[in-house]
Structures are given as C-alpha cells and as structure tokens.
Amino acid sequence: MIVEAQVTINGSKAAIWAAITNIENASETISGIEKIEVLQKPANGLVGLRWRETRMLFGKPATAEKWITDAAENEFYKTKAEDQGFVYLCTKSISESSGGITLETSGPIGAPAIISSVAPRAG
C-alpha cells in the first residue's frame, strides 16, 4: 500500500532541503531511526548515496539497506530498498508556495513518518 502525506512548513527551502537530505544524521531528526551507517557516498550530489538504516519495528530492530536513485537539488529525491523479495520505493519532495514550503513524501506504509519528524525541526 502506497501512502502519500504532505505538510506546509514555515521555513526556508534551503533549510528544509538540508534537513531531509542529512541522511548521515537522520537518527537525530527522525523518530524511530536508531542508527545510520553510510556505506557509499557519491563524489557529487545525492544519487548513489547508500546507507544501512536500523529502525524499531514492532519493538524489534529492523535493518534495511537504502540508496538514492534519482534527485534534483532543492526539489526531490527518490530512494530504493530491497528486503526479503520486496522492493520499496519512496519519494520526498519540497515545493514553494505563498503559504510556505510543502514537504511531501510517498512510499509504503510507514514512509510518511518523516513528515512529522522533520517538519518541527526544519523551520
């Protein structure tokens, strides 16, 4: 099941982009993430960034390897993860309007949790 969520944030686009792309320190800003281990950093940009992420699911640690497959700076990035035969695709994007910056995320159940975690800290 794919879930989409969005929130409007009163903050700068640059600050929000910096918050959602700070994968290495995501455990400090996204509740539920226990640990991030960066496995591969690209020479430039985000595409190719690969990490191992440990979250608490149903009271037990669950680890998945994720990587960024596509990105446009200050606009969006897409991630992919594979686990036990399943492929998980998520997109996080930001856009500017007169009401502020809209942070939108879509992906399998649980992915939109980043909205509630990043929004209060990015403004």
Side-chain angles (χ1 to χ4, degrees):
M1 181 173 171
I2 301 296
V3 176
E4 295 180 356
Q6 66 179 6
V7 65
T8 300
I9 303 168
N10 186 14
S12 75
K13 195 172 187 181
I16 295 163
W17 182 254
I20 68 171
T21 59
N22 186 2
I23 306 295
E24 196 165 354
N25 296 304
S27 62
E28 297 172 12
T29 57
I30 301 173
S31 61
I33 295 180
E34 298 290 315
K35 180 181 173 186
I36 297 285
E37 177 187 358
V38 174
L39 304 174
Q40 183 176 339
K41 282 187 176 182
N44 295 314
L46 290 172
V47 176
L49 178 64
R50 191 177 199 98
W51 68 96
R52 188 171 295 122
E53 180 177 299
T54 302
R55 291 178 179 247
M56 293 302 288
L57 293 175
F58 307 111
K60 296 180 182 179
T63 301
E65 198 168 298
K66 298 181 174 186
W67 59 97
I68 295 180
T69 59
D70 193 13
E73 189 170 347
N74 290 314
E75 292 182 33
F76 75 91
Y77 70 88
K78 296 181 179 191
T79 62
K80 182 175 182 179
E82 298 175 359
D83 187 38
Q84 299 180 16
F86 293 95
V87 176
Y88 302 94
L89 304 172
C90 296
T91 300
K92 292 174 184 45
S93 63
I94 57 175
S95 58
E96 200 165 4
S97 68
S98 60
I101 307 298
T102 300
L103 169 60
E104 185 171 344
T105 186
S106 65
I109 292 175
I114 191 173
I115 293 282
S116 61
S117 301
V118 171
R121 296 173 177 93

